[in-house]
Amino acid sequence: MTCLVVGCASIPAGVEPSPNDPWEPFNRSVFEFNEGLDAYLLKPVVAAYRFILPEIVREGIYNFFSNYSDIYTALQNLLQGKPDYAFNDIMRVAVNTIFGIGGLMDVATPGGLEKHKEDWGQTFGVWGIPAGPYVVLPFFGPSTVRDTFGTGADLESDYLFKYIPDVGLRNSITGLRVVNTRNTYYEAGDLLDGAAIDKYSFMRDAYLQRREYQIKEGREDEEPLMPVYENPYE
């Protein structure tokens, strides 16, 4: 549908096609659609968000959603056969909820409880399900066939996204989460825009390398192009 709206983009001259990206013309068209949506809607909203709310408030919002995500990370670590990591994640939730004012402060990380980030796509990868071709999803961005199903499972099991009965409250929380997530990478996007690179290819290669790194728990010698976990307030 998106391809019909914006038209399939061509591969730039001199850019080598990737074997992991057989649908590159379509993916580039979706990428351009997402870039336009970000430039004309999401980024201005995030700029206003940063102007209106002081950093300490933005940090509290970030910590709240990060603390909430630790619950799902604990579940994924259990499903991946890592009970020690899952126990660490549950302890993070308990410590930050009790001593961090409902998760608005991250006191677990300075206390030695490491932050993890897991999702259904990673769990599917640990189970041996192959990634499949690279795909760019409208609104969600870089993915693979495996991670697309993982995203669906993430949304299906997300209480804040799906199961809050008050529709207005649920939509408000979802919007705040989107703005909070975009705020995390607010300056990174500007750096990529100013670099003399093919942004699409860079983001694709970085995403695929990062996902492989996450699934293998960083056991490879090579560091990912994008961080496994990044806290903008540290």
Side-chain angles (χ1 to χ4, degrees):
M1 181 65 180
T2 305
C3 188
L4 294 177
V5 173
V6 300
C8 286
S10 60
I11 302 175
V15 175
E16 287 291 329
S18 169
N20 296 317
D21 191 4
W23 307 321
E24 184 168 348
F26 171 78
N27 285 334
R28 282 184 178 273
S29 71
V30 180
F31 175 78
E32 291 176 2
F33 169 79
N34 288 343
E35 287 285 286
L37 188 69
D38 181 74
Y40 293 106
L41 177 61
L42 192 54
K43 192 172 182 180
V45 170
V46 174
Y49 173 80
R50 294 168 67 91
F51 178 78
I52 294 171
L53 297 182
E55 182 174 338
I56 189 172
V57 176
R58 301 197 306 268
E59 181 178 0
I61 294 171
Y62 175 90
N63 288 335
F64 174 82
F65 286 120
S66 178
N67 186 52
Y68 170 75
S69 72
D70 283 342
I71 301 172
Y72 286 92
T73 292
L75 171 63
Q76 300 304 324
N77 275 323
L78 278 177
L79 294 173
Q80 294 174 26
K82 298 180 290 188
D84 52 338
Y85 279 29
F87 178 75
N88 175 93
D89 301 329
I90 292 298
M91 288 300 299
R92 281 184 57 88
V93 175
V95 168
N96 283 336
T97 300
I98 296 172
F99 301 106
I101 318 177
L104 296 178
M105 297 173 59
D106 180 7
V107 296
T109 300
L113 294 170
E114 183 182 0
K115 172 74 177 180
H116 304 127
K117 184 71 171 68
E118 308 287 337
D119 53 48
W120 275 106
Q122 290 169 251
T123 298
F124 291 158
V126 171
W127 289 354
I129 298 175
Y134 178 75
V135 59
V136 181
L137 302 176
F139 308 108
F140 290 95
S143 187
T144 61
V145 171
R146 179 189 63 210
D147 287 348
T148 297
F149 284 99
T151 297
D154 289 332
L155 296 177
E156 186 67 24
S157 58
D158 189 339
Y159 178 83
L160 289 182
F161 178 81
K162 187 171 182 181
Y163 297 106
I164 294 178
D166 189 311
V167 176
L169 177 61
R170 184 172 69 237
N171 291 342
S172 297
I173 291 175
T174 299
L176 183 59
R177 289 174 75 179
V178 171
V179 172
N180 170 69
T181 300
R182 181 60 180 86
N183 179 60
T184 303
Y185 301 101
Y186 186 77
E187 295 177 352
D190 292 338
L191 291 175
L192 288 178
D193 289 335
I197 59 172
D198 176 24
K199 186 176 180 181
Y200 170 86
S201 297
F202 178 87
M203 292 187 67
R204 176 195 62 206
D205 296 343
Y207 176 83
L208 293 175
Q209 185 186 357
R210 175 175 176 263
R211 293 300 280 176
E212 189 72 11
Y213 182 90
Q214 289 175 318
I215 291 169
K216 293 182 178 179
E217 293 298 328
R219 288 191 291 270
E220 300 295 322
D221 293 334
E222 187 177 1
E223 290 291 324
L225 294 175
M226 298 175 68
V228 173
Y229 169 71
E230 178 182 350
N231 186 339
Y233 300 103
E234 289 183 343

